[in-house]
Amino acid sequence: MSNKMWGGRFARGPGAIMEEINASIGFDFRLALQDIAGSKAHAAMLAETLILERADAQAISNGLDEIAREIEAGSFKFSRALEDIHMNIEARLTELIGPTAGRLHTARSRNDQVALDFRLWIRDTIDALDQQLRALQRALAEKALKHAASVMPGFTHLQPAQPVTFGHHLLAYVEMFARDRARFASARSRLNESPLGAAALAGTSFPIDRAMTAKALGFDRPTANSLDSVADRDFVLETLSVAAICAIHLSRLAEEIVLWATPQFGFASLSDAFSTGSSIMPQKRNPDAAELIRAKAGRIIGALNALLIVMKGLPLAYSKDLQEDKEGTFDALHALSLCLAAMTGMVGDLAPDLKRMKAAAGFGYATATDLADWLVRTLNLPFREAHHISGRLVAIAAEQKKGLEKLSLAEMRAVEPRISEAVFAVLGVENSVGSRTSFGGTAPKCVRAQARLWLRRLKK
């Protein structure tokens, strides 16, 4: 038997393999509540424009409410034979209210219906992710305020570069996640147009009111071109692109936590809540939550790449290829949500070893730049000359296997006779970070100001 929802032309139903490759209900069931919301708005508009009797529209609305209750209660029966969420809901609506259910699809196609549902789902998901990002920013800013003066090494090339504070380091990620939130908001603003009413690809001859359904569903306006309305998946690509960038930020922080938790670094530790052990090595304490975040960035980036490849050769308007837009997106955005929750927990749980970090901040002659700056400020040397002098002093200290601050004044004056006892004040790591008072710098007073500013912003 042909599919009773669309099979008028067909004498027989699809073969088993065709049904297997064609069915999407295994993943697009996630669009159920968005599909119902769109259908209710469509039915109300059909009644308002006198395309549908008000009694029929009310019966449809009541039936859809009942289906929503069944879905939320877990009692709704999804059928693979009905292919997708749209046909499953329409079939159940027919069971509930009879042939009147068939009027719901007037002036509508599954093409604009799925485009609508997916926009609604993406919009809802962006809103939820934004709240998770906000919570992560708050956790970072709170810890940054607490550790505004806790000294740690700053790295370039993963080599000791200059001392910074732990709070300053954490605030760098607050800035990254702020950009992610801004990108999500920007993507949301562009997707907030309603494709409903574009029908299959050419619009409809019925006197529908697209502005009415757009407003009812919280969109800014209806889309302006019916072909683009059903063929566009830019809103998915943009969202996945932002998700991929956000996942990279999470992965970078996760990688640092993995490094910090090693005995070689020893900068911080995680409690049992975010660590696992080994089945054979009883001493092991593994930061698996961080490692999994690092890995899940790959599947999020992969979902973006997969959809880019799907879209690259599609002519207008709708092709079944577009069914491949959902499964990877659902998986990627769920993974991102899970990663955000895990990272927020880890940030709160992370216990820094302040003594170890401070000691490491002085490794590798990290105050050599402070020495060069002192030579410029105090002796009025050109920076390149000061840089050369500092480098020579580093070489002498390295040859003797001791820190810059351990060199004697005589040894320093052998390189530059005008160096005075005052130079030793800039060679301590705390003096170094305290001197970095330029806007955005690592000085504790700057870090406190920025952390408090962020906490005020995040309260709003």
Side-chain angles (χ1 to χ4, degrees), residues 390-404:
S390 297
R392 288 176 63 192
L393 290 171
V394 167
I396 292 169
E399 186 178 343
Q400 298 180 24
K401 295 183 172 53
K402 61 186 179 183
L404 273 175

Side-chain angles (χ1 to χ4, degrees), residues 324-405:
E324 287 296 308
D325 62 354
K326 294 173 197 65
E327 197 166 9
T329 302
F330 291 146
D331 178 79
L333 297 185
H334 171 72
L336 181 61
S337 176
L338 183 59
C339 289
L340 287 168
M343 185 57 79
T344 303
M346 277 195 293
V347 167
D349 186 75
L350 197 65
D353 186 329
L354 304 183
K355 185 176 179 180
R356 182 73 174 258
M357 287 198 301
K358 183 177 178 181
F363 295 165
Y365 309 101
T367 58
T369 305
D370 297 278
L371 173 57
D373 289 347
W374 183 89
L375 292 170
V376 170
R377 284 195 310 270
T378 307
L379 305 184
N380 198 29
L381 293 177
F383 182 79
R384 285 300 165 210
E385 185 179 345
H387 185 285
H388 183 71
I389 292 169
S390 297
R392 288 176 63 192
L393 290 171
V394 167
I396 292 169
E399 186 178 343
Q400 298 180 24
K401 295 183 172 53
K402 61 186 179 183
L404 273 175
E405 72 283 0

Side-chain angles (χ1 to χ4, degrees), residues 1-331:
M1 186 179 77
S2 65
N3 188 306
K4 65 182 180 179
M5 306 305 288
W6 51 258
R9 179 180 173 178
F10 294 78
R12 294 184 299 137
I17 297 300
M18 180 60 195
E19 184 174 308
E20 181 69 24
I21 196 172
N22 191 50
S24 60
I25 190 61
F27 50 84
D28 70 12
F29 69 89
R30 293 174 178 82
L31 302 176
L33 297 182
Q34 287 81 12
D35 193 75
I36 289 169
S39 291
K40 289 185 68 174
H42 185 65
M45 180 275 296
L46 292 177
E48 189 66 27
T49 53
L50 306 180
I51 298 169
L52 187 64
E53 295 287 340
R54 291 191 182 277
D56 288 344
Q58 188 60 55
I60 288 169
S61 182
N62 292 343
L64 290 169
D65 286 340
E66 174 58 27
I67 292 170
R69 286 190 287 271
E70 291 176 1
I71 289 170
E72 290 175 332
S75 61
F76 187 90
K77 299 292 191 295
F78 295 100
S79 168
R80 282 178 57 82
L82 292 169
E83 297 181 12
D84 57 33
I85 189 59
H86 323 298
M87 295 294 95
N88 270 264
I89 287 176
E90 187 173 331
R92 178 57 178 151
L93 186 62
T94 301
E95 291 175 355
L96 290 172
I97 68 172
T100 297
R103 299 186 182 279
L104 174 60
H105 213 52
T106 306
R108 185 175 75 167
S109 163
R110 278 192 294 178
N111 293 355
D112 62 337
Q113 189 177 358
V114 69
L116 171 71
D117 293 358
F118 208 15
R119 281 181 188 251
L120 289 170
W121 187 89
I122 291 284
R123 192 177 69 182
D124 291 344
T125 301
I126 286 175
D127 291 344
L129 290 171
D130 180 73
Q131 289 304 305
Q132 287 190 281
L133 279 163
R134 181 170 171 266
L136 176 53
Q137 284 183 292
R138 181 179 292 172
L140 287 162
E142 287 172 349
K143 187 145 269 183
L145 183 59
K146 182 178 179 181
H147 292 286
S150 301
V151 179
M152 69 175 291
F155 297 93
T156 60
H157 308 276
L158 205 56
Q159 299 294 320
Q162 292 178 294
V164 296
T165 69
F166 187 47
H168 191 58
H169 194 107
L170 296 177
L171 286 179
Y173 286 99
V174 175
E175 297 290 336
M176 292 185 209
F177 295 127
R179 294 193 294 273
D180 293 329
R181 291 181 68 191
R183 278 186 282 265
F184 272 127
S186 181
R188 189 192 192 282
S189 70
R190 272 183 295 282
L191 74 80
N192 208 36
E193 296 181 347
S194 172
L196 187 58
L201 75 161
T204 178
S205 58
F206 288 95
I208 61 172
D209 185 347
R210 293 189 64 206
M212 177 182 172
T213 49
K215 182 178 180 181
L217 293 166
F219 290 105
D220 296 329
R221 63 191 71 85
T223 50
N225 183 283
S226 60
L227 285 167
D228 182 54
S229 300
V230 299
D232 168 48
R233 291 299 183 272
D234 288 2
F235 64 97
V236 190
L237 288 170
E238 277 199 76
T239 302
L240 287 176
S241 178
V242 179
I245 295 170
C246 182
I248 288 169
H249 292 156
L250 288 165
S251 183
R252 294 180 74 179
L253 179 52
E255 169 66 6
E256 295 200 303
I257 291 172
V258 170
L259 289 173
W260 293 344
T262 62
Q264 291 78 10
F265 272 78
F267 288 179
S269 61
L270 293 167
S271 75
D272 293 354
F274 291 96
S275 303
T276 63
S278 165
S279 63
I280 189 172
M281 297 170 284
Q283 85 282 5
K284 289 298 294 296
R285 187 179 188 82
N286 303 320
D288 280 7
E291 292 171 17
L292 287 165
I293 288 173
R294 188 176 58 187
K296 286 181 186 297
R299 71 195 300 165
I300 297 168
I301 296 166
L304 170 61
N305 286 336
L307 186 55
L308 285 167
I309 294 166
V310 167
M311 296 298 299
K312 71 175 179 59
L314 292 188
L316 295 178
Y318 182 86
S319 297
K320 195 71 170 185
D321 310 52
L322 291 175
Q323 185 167 291
E324 287 296 308
D325 62 354
K326 294 173 197 65
E327 197 166 9
T329 302
F330 291 146
D331 178 79

